[in-house]
Amino acid sequence: MISKHFQHHAIAVLILIFASSSAFSTEKIRLIVETDLGGDKDDQASFVRLLMYSNEFDIEAIIVDRPNNKFQQDGASSNPTGASDAKDMAYDYIDAYGQVRGNLIKHKSDYPTVSYLKNVTVWGTDSNNDAVNKIIQVVDDS
């Protein structure tokens, strides 16, 4: 049996190897994002930050998983866009990103389009298994 101490170091080494090998790669890191927008303000801030750095990654899916019965749980101040649900909130932030994308692409041309980001945004809480199907699609496409 491997000791916990060794497991910690082995994991750290693997992360270091992955990080150093990907640092020399020209390919972007493929990313599936899971968010529970519509609750805490920090989730919204993190989502905005993701959009501002979206040119650094290959965002293949954005899974929105805050159920409607928990949307806006922290009150109206947690819903600055006035969205009706978490997916609408994600779309509102993506639309806001679209308003500044023109300035962003002046510096780097590889920011994803608004339509692309909306296309990869799916529910993670629905009975249609949109998120599961999206993850399967991403894996199958690789």
Side-chain angles (χ1 to χ4, degrees):
M1 182 170 171
I2 300 174
S3 73
K4 288 184 181 186
H5 178 73
F6 178 76
Q7 287 176 337
H8 243 46
H9 283 70
I11 290 169
V13 169
L14 289 175
I15 290 170
L16 181 60
I17 290 170
F18 174 75
S20 62
S21 67
S22 64
F24 297 109
S25 174
T26 57
E27 287 187 37
K28 293 181 181 182
I29 294 173
R30 299 172 64 208
L31 194 62
I32 294 175
V33 178
E34 180 275 334
T35 181
D36 63 343
L37 280 171
D40 301 326
K41 295 176 189 175
D42 64 331
D43 299 319
Q44 296 162 46
S46 295
F47 194 69
V48 169
R49 186 174 180 104
L50 169 74
L51 294 172
M52 293 298 101
Y53 288 95
S54 60
N55 68 311
E56 301 291 329
F57 306 100
D58 182 7
I59 300 174
E60 298 197 24
I62 299 172
I63 300 170
V64 182
D65 70 358
R66 173 148 311 257
N68 285 338
N69 66 342
K70 293 189 179 183
F71 183 72
Q72 220 175 337
Q73 189 171 333
D74 295 340
S77 66
S78 66
N79 186 3
T81 70
S84 60
D85 59 39
K87 189 173 180 185
D88 283 341
M89 181 177 276
Y91 279 10
D92 288 345
Y93 280 111
I94 292 169
D95 286 336
Y97 155 84
Q99 293 175 11
V100 299
R101 183 178 177 271
N103 287 332
L104 295 170
I105 61 174
K106 288 178 184 177
H107 306 283
K108 294 254 185 168
S109 62
D110 55 349
Y111 279 89
T113 64
V114 167
S115 60
Y116 173 80
L117 290 170
K118 285 184 175 182
N119 188 48
V120 299
T121 301
V122 297
W123 275 112
T125 60
D126 64 354
S127 59
N128 295 327
N129 295 317
D130 289 344
V132 171
N133 292 334
K134 189 65 170 174
I135 292 168
I136 291 169
Q137 175 194 347
V138 166
V139 171
D140 285 348
D141 288 348
S142 59

